């Protein structure tokens, strides 16, 4: 895996297994710019190595490539000494925690609640009133980025749709995310499986996870393709919050290659306050300073998978 946080961790827990982080003691402490696994039960993970009769011997590093490395370990858990009741209770508790805190909808709720608190505070100071709950979101991504899927971008989109509703007017995703949306009217099991195999890691659990009844050939709500309508909505400030769901792809982003995004982002920067705009960083090595310098004039909130790189 790349980085501390990865979708395999969630899948391990969802499958009823306990994750063993061999190097969990090296996790950066909370509160710093490089903090990761912020919502995970990181105090529990080291305790799993003390499970009765469990023996884990860390092996040697097999591959080391910059920020990437692969190591081996030997895990021994004699079946005759298996503590079934303790194991089941631990798994059930961890699964319930993951459902409440680490699911896509829980993550979306965490993002929206954090932003809502700041928006309410800013509006109370600036306007003498507190806005209502966030109910309409503009979710921007670069055109065609990662057509094979991006688990951070797609998972949050899935969570927002699940939390706020599937209607196109609730969460507007302008650029096509074919990796996460499935058209039920054109659903075919063989085609579905064939396309899912083209996604990164076979789509993991995020691939084609959002069903839509739209007749559009791409399985998307038609309003998502109405760029002029979205631009007008931005100008009228009809969205409660704007989320840049692929800030980590901005390092290689060229405005001339994606004029649609450039136009909409410029409008967002002009019509929205910084505390109403969010950056999502799903990179494996952390958002770079150069990208932050480019985007922070328009956005205050940064939700980062691996933290911030202090060097460009």
């Amino acid at each position: 895996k790349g980085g501390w946080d990865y979708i395999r961790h969630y899948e391990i827990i969802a499958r009823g297994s306990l994750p063993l982080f061999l190097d969990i003691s090296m996790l950066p402490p909370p509160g710093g710019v490089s903090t990761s696994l912020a919502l995970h039960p990181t105090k529990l993970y080291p305790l799993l190595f003390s499970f009765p009769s469990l023996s884990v011997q860390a092996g040697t590093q097999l591959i080391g490539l910059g920020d990437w490395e692969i190591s081996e370990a030997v895990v021994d858990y004699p079946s005759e000494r298996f503590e079934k009741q303790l194991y089941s209770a631990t798994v059930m508790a961890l699964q319930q925690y993951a459902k409440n805190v680490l699911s896509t909808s829980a993550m979306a709720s965490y993002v929206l609640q954090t932003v809502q608190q700041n928006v309410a505070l800013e509006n109370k100071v600036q306007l003498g009133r507190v806005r209502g709950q966030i109910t309409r979101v503009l979710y921007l991504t670069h055109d065609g980025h990662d057509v094979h899927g991006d688990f951070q971008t797609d998972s949050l989109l899935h969570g927002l749709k699940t939390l706020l509703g599937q209607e196109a007017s609730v969460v507007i995703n302008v650029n096509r995310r074919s990796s996460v949306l499935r058209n039920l009217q054109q659903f075919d099991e063989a085609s579905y499986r064939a396309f899912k195999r083209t996604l990164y890691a076979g789509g993991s659990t995020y691939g084609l996870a959002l069903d839509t009844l739209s007749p559009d050939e791409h399985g998307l709500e038609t309003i998502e393709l109405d760029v002029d309508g979205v631009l007008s909505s931005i100008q009228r400030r009809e969205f409660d919050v704007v989320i840049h769901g692929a800030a980590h792809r901005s390092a290689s982003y060229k405005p001339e290659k994606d004029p649609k995004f450039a136009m909409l982002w410029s409008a967002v920067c002009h019509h929205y306050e910084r505390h109403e705009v969010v950056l999502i960083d799903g990179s494996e090595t952390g958002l770079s300073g150069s990208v932050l310098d480019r985007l922070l004039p328009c956005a205050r909130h940064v939700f980062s998978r691996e933290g911030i790189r202090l060097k460009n």
Side-chain angles (χ1 to χ4, degrees):
K1 64 181 177 64
W4 283 100
D5 198 357
Y6 202 72
I7 196 169
R8 291 192 184 100
H9 305 155
Y10 308 91
E11 294 174 337
I12 288 171
I13 297 172
R15 292 284 293 183
S17 299
L18 298 180
L20 296 177
F21 291 83
L22 298 181
D23 52 357
I24 191 64
S25 62
M26 299 174 63
L27 179 70
V33 294
S34 60
T35 298
S36 187
L37 301 178
L39 298 181
H40 281 252
T42 52
K43 292 184 178 180
L44 169 66
Y45 291 152
L47 298 179
L48 297 179
F49 289 92
S50 302
F51 210 87
S53 303
L54 175 65
S55 173
V56 180
Q57 295 180 341
T60 58
Q61 179 177 308
L62 302 179
I63 300 176
L65 298 172
D67 295 314
W68 295 74
E69 69 174 44
I70 300 177
S71 302
E72 64 176 355
V74 178
V75 180
D76 183 31
Y77 195 0
S79 59
E80 64 273 11
R81 285 180 282 176
F82 179 64
E83 298 279 354
K84 184 176 181 180
Q85 290 186 337
L86 177 60
Y87 184 88
S88 298
T90 306
V91 167
M92 290 177 62
L94 189 54
Q95 284 186 320
Q96 188 61 51
Y97 177 90
K99 182 178 180 180
N100 292 342
V101 181
L102 302 178
S103 65
T104 62
S105 56
M107 285 290 191
S109 178
Y110 169 73
V111 169
L112 295 185
Q113 287 181 13
T114 302
V115 175
Q116 173 62 36
Q117 291 174 1
N118 194 273
V119 168
L121 177 62
E122 290 287 342
N123 285 339
K124 186 174 183 179
V125 172
Q126 296 176 9
L127 305 177
R129 64 183 177 83
V130 179
R131 292 181 63 180
Q133 296 296 311
I134 294 174
T135 58
R136 197 158 188 247
V137 175
L138 174 61
Y139 195 74
L140 290 174
T141 60
H142 298 308
D143 189 19
H145 102 267
D146 273 4
V147 293
H148 296 296
D150 179 299
F151 97 82
Q152 186 67 74
T153 301
D154 292 341
S155 294
L156 183 57
L157 176 60
H158 179 276
L160 290 169
K161 289 276 192 179
T162 303
L163 184 68
L164 298 179
Q166 297 277 13
E167 296 83 2
S169 60
V170 175
V171 182
I172 296 183
N173 173 225
V174 177
N175 283 318
R176 181 161 64 95
R177 300 297 303 166
S178 58
S179 52
V180 71
L181 294 169
R182 174 177 64 178
N183 188 346
L184 289 181
Q185 290 187 349
Q186 300 176 0
F187 176 75
D188 173 79
E189 184 70 26
S191 299
Y192 162 74
R193 292 184 177 276
F195 179 72
K196 199 168 187 292
R197 283 194 295 269
T198 68
L199 302 179
Y200 178 71
S204 298
T205 48
Y206 67 81
L208 308 182
L210 281 176
D211 294 334
T212 174
L213 292 173
S214 168
D216 178 75
E217 62 176 335
H218 299 305
L220 300 179
E221 299 90 334
T222 54
I223 191 172
E224 292 186 329
L225 305 178
D226 182 10
V227 179
D228 291 336
V230 172
L231 179 60
S232 297
S233 294
I234 293 174
Q235 294 168 342
R236 293 192 297 267
R237 290 180 47 82
E238 294 180 356
F239 302 106
D240 298 311
V241 66
V242 178
I243 299 177
H244 186 339
H248 52 295
R249 303 298 172 186
S250 296
S252 58
Y253 161 71
K254 303 296 182 184
E256 63 273 14
K257 293 185 178 180
D258 192 358
K260 177 172 57 177
F261 177 89
M263 176 183 66
L264 295 178
W265 182 250
S266 177
V268 168
C269 294
H270 181 73
H271 293 282
Y272 280 80
E273 302 291 337
R274 289 183 62 237
H275 63 270
E276 299 170 317
V277 183
V278 179
L279 304 179
I280 302 299
D281 164 33
S283 67
E284 296 166 341
T285 56
L287 206 60
S288 68
S290 60
V291 173
L292 282 175
D293 290 343
R294 187 191 315 165
L295 298 178
L296 280 183
C298 298
R300 174 176 296 177
H301 303 278
V302 181
F303 293 87
S304 180
R305 169 183 160 190
E306 297 294 333
I308 308 300
R309 288 206 309 261
L310 296 181
K311 59 183 179 179
N312 291 339

